[in-house]
Structure formats: structure tokens, C-alpha cells
Amino acid sequence: MATTLLNAELPGMALRHRGKVRDVFDLDPSRIPAGAAGPGEYLLIVATDRLSAFDVVLPDPIPGKGEMLCQISNFWFARTEHLMRNHLTGIDVASVLPPGVEAAPYVQRAVVTKKLKPLPVEAIARGYLIGSGWKDYQRTGRVSGIALPDGLRQAERLPQPIFTPSTKAAAGDHDENIDFDAMVKAVGGELAEQVRDATLRLYAFAADYAAQRGILLADTKFEFGLDRDGRLHVMDEMLTPDSSRYWPADQYEVGTSPPSYDKQFVRDYLETLDWDKTAPGPALPAEIIARTRAKYAEALQKLAGLSVD
């Protein structure tokens, strides 16, 4: 059965970061089962059921959303480990929880990961012209400095997927698209090329897999980090409806913004309110919560053949 979790409360564990969706804890080395992993430091990452819109965390959770996000990420990490190392360790979550904490709310929404040094950029692959990329193209004919053919329409498939990095904005701010030269200045040329190649490789693999299941992967965002030996890993979440734009292939039409497997129901509802898009966010009607949950569940089922219910 799916569980609902708004905030992870783990007594005795050091909370490292509470993000919009994920709560990250430092793991005491003594909690790692003997022989379960090699040397290094580890984190426990918990995907909660919090939902953010317009950079504001809303007061109502989407039941089971964190479990669905975690299971989709785990599915993709397993499917792509031949293409790129990832942060998962395979250590059993229940084995590292503090004494007295019930395991059920955490086993499907948490993972034990390597502690990596995150790169200060978002790695974005785009196969279709939509979102901020469409806005940039309308204004300049380019996306992240990449010149595109004239006359492209909204949601049109690009001649080939492109790599469009962005900054990692502070809480409450928006990421900004940057060109590849700016990324080179931020992380160095060799590492920038590694990230670009890995991003496009992962996108191509996932887009092909999704297309076979009637889903178009319009774009997606990856995060990468380095281990203590300087090796690149993909980390955080991977190819979820929160970090990716998935479209039902049978509803795709060039020139429009196709429906997506994400929280669009919430955004559309909030746009009807007299709300200034600053915290605190408004409460959500039960119908909007249910319809949003159903979209995440449909993505999990269609992509991974999984259900959390």
C-alpha cells in the first residue's frame, strides 16, 4: 500500500538538507551494515509527498508521490548503469533507519547513496522545442547559444537532441539557461564534455525506450556529481515526471503545448486563483490532488510497469 509522508522525521540522524521534495540525511558510518559497501561517506535520501508549484511548496501532499518518484528513478538508474555510474549503493534502507522508526513509510521512497560532490550546473537534454527553450528560440533563434533552423514551431521535434545546461538557482529563484562556454568556465572543459556526452547518451536511450511505450520524452534534466576519485556519477533523481517532460504520443501535436505526465493539473488550478505565487501556497481541492496523483501513477505504470498501490 502507498504511504503518505510530508516530512521525514528520523530522530538521531543529521538532516543535511530539506528541499522542495527530498529530505537528505547524513548516515552515521556505524549504521552501515558490515560489508554492505566500500569505503566512503553515505546519505539517506527520502522522497516526500511534498509538491511545489511556481517555486512554492504547497501545504497539501500528493499521497504516494514520493514513492512513485523514487521507484521511477530506481528503474532508470538500473536501466542505464551500463551507460553511466549512478549514486545508488544497494544498501537496504530498513537496515540504516534509527531504532524505533517504522520502516514501511520509507522503504519505497528512500535510497542509500554515495555522498558525491555535486556539479554546480543542471544538465538538460532537449529533443523538442518547448518551455524555456521555446521562449529563448522565439526571442533569439537560439537555445543556450545553439543556433536552430528558422521557422520551428512550438513543441516541434528538433533535428537532433541538444545539450542546454543551466545554472542551479538558490531557493526561490529560477534556473537560467547558459551556453556551453559558460559551463566550461564553471567546471572545466574536460568535465563539461563528459557531462554533455553522458546527458545526450542517457536522453537518447530513455527517449527510445519511452517511445516504444507510447510516450515522448520532450526534455529532461540530470544532476551529476564526482566521487572522491573524481569519477562522474548521475545522481539525485532521474527521468521522473518532476525532472522530465513526458507527453502521450497519441496527444502530441506540433504548434501546441501537449499535456504532460506531471503536476500540470495543479499549475492550471493555481492560475485560476487570486494568488500572488508567494508562500504560503493555497490548499488544494481533493479532485486536483487525485488527478495529479493519477498522472504520476500512470507514468510509473507505463514506463516501468510498476504500481505503488
Side-chain angles (χ1 to χ4, degrees):
M1 289 293 294
T3 63
T4 302
L5 185 72
L6 188 60
N7 295 300
E9 304 295 344
L10 298 172
M13 291 187 68
L15 178 65
R16 183 181 184 86
H17 175 69
R18 201 181 292 279
K20 292 175 184 175
V21 174
R22 286 165 183 78
D23 293 343
V24 182
F25 296 84
D26 284 308
L27 268 184
D28 185 329
S30 67
R31 300 293 306 165
I32 303 295
E41 296 179 282
Y42 300 93
L43 302 172
L44 180 71
I45 301 180
V46 182
T48 73
D49 296 328
R50 296 193 294 269
L51 183 77
S52 69
F54 305 111
D55 294 313
V56 174
V57 176
L58 303 177
D60 299 293
I62 305 297
K65 171 177 173 279
E67 292 180 331
M68 290 185 272
L69 291 178
C70 185
Q71 295 308 306
I72 289 178
S73 283
N74 289 351
F75 169 80
W76 283 115
F77 282 130
R79 288 273 169 170
T80 61
E81 60 185 354
H82 66 292
L83 298 174
M84 171 54 54
R85 300 181 190 90
N86 63 65
H87 68 170
L88 296 185
T89 64
I91 296 173
D92 179 56
V93 168
S95 71
V96 304
L97 295 175
V101 171
E102 183 184 359
Y106 293 96
V107 290
Q108 289 201 87
R109 66 171 69 248
V111 286
V112 178
T113 74
K114 305 169 190 175
K115 185 184 287 187
L116 303 171
K117 180 182 179 182
L119 299 187
V121 292
E122 307 278 11
I124 300 169
R126 300 178 188 272
Y128 294 77
L129 193 56
I130 197 71
S132 64
W134 167 240
K135 293 178 182 177
D136 289 350
Y137 173 77
Q138 288 180 293
R139 190 173 63 253
T140 68
R142 296 171 175 263
V143 180
S144 290
I146 300 171
L148 297 176
D150 294 336
L152 295 179
R153 293 178 292 166
Q154 184 182 28
E156 190 158 352
R157 185 173 181 176
L158 297 172
Q160 61 185 30
I162 58 175
F163 174 67
T164 63
S166 76
T167 61
K168 281 188 180 180
D173 293 333
H174 296 282
D175 297 342
E176 292 186 8
N177 294 337
I178 58 175
D179 61 24
F180 189 70
D181 287 344
M183 181 174 174
V184 169
K185 291 178 182 176
V187 303
E190 182 179 352
L191 187 53
E193 289 183 6
Q194 285 184 50
V195 170
R196 178 180 61 190
D197 293 348
T199 297
L200 293 174
R201 192 164 61 243
L202 291 167
Y203 172 81
F205 177 88
D208 179 67
Y209 182 94
Q212 296 175 40
R213 285 147 185 82
I215 296 175
L216 302 180
L217 177 56
D219 53 43
T220 192
K221 175 189 73 175
F222 299 107
E223 295 206 35
F224 291 91
L226 301 174
D227 65 14
R228 59 182 186 173
D229 295 320
R231 295 179 300 181
L232 191 67
H233 293 63
V234 62
M235 54 178 274
D236 194 48
E237 64 181 319
M238 187 178 189
L239 293 159
T240 73
D242 275 11
S243 64
S244 313
R245 208 183 311 257
Y246 287 112
W247 295 332
D250 60 0
Q251 298 180 55
Y252 170 67
E253 185 178 348
V254 177
T256 67
S257 181
S260 54
Y261 290 100
D262 62 6
K263 50 195 174 186
Q264 192 61 48
F265 285 123
V266 173
R267 295 192 200 97
D268 291 346
Y269 167 74
L270 294 174
E271 290 282 17
T272 70
L273 304 180
D274 183 20
W275 176 51
D276 63 1
K277 298 177 182 175
T278 61
L284 297 177
E287 179 192 3
I288 298 298
I289 292 174
R291 292 175 73 186
T292 299
R293 186 188 190 282
K295 272 296 180 187
Y296 282 95
E298 185 180 352
L300 179 63
Q301 177 61 44
K302 285 197 169 187
L303 290 169
L306 298 173
S307 171
V308 297
D309 293 322

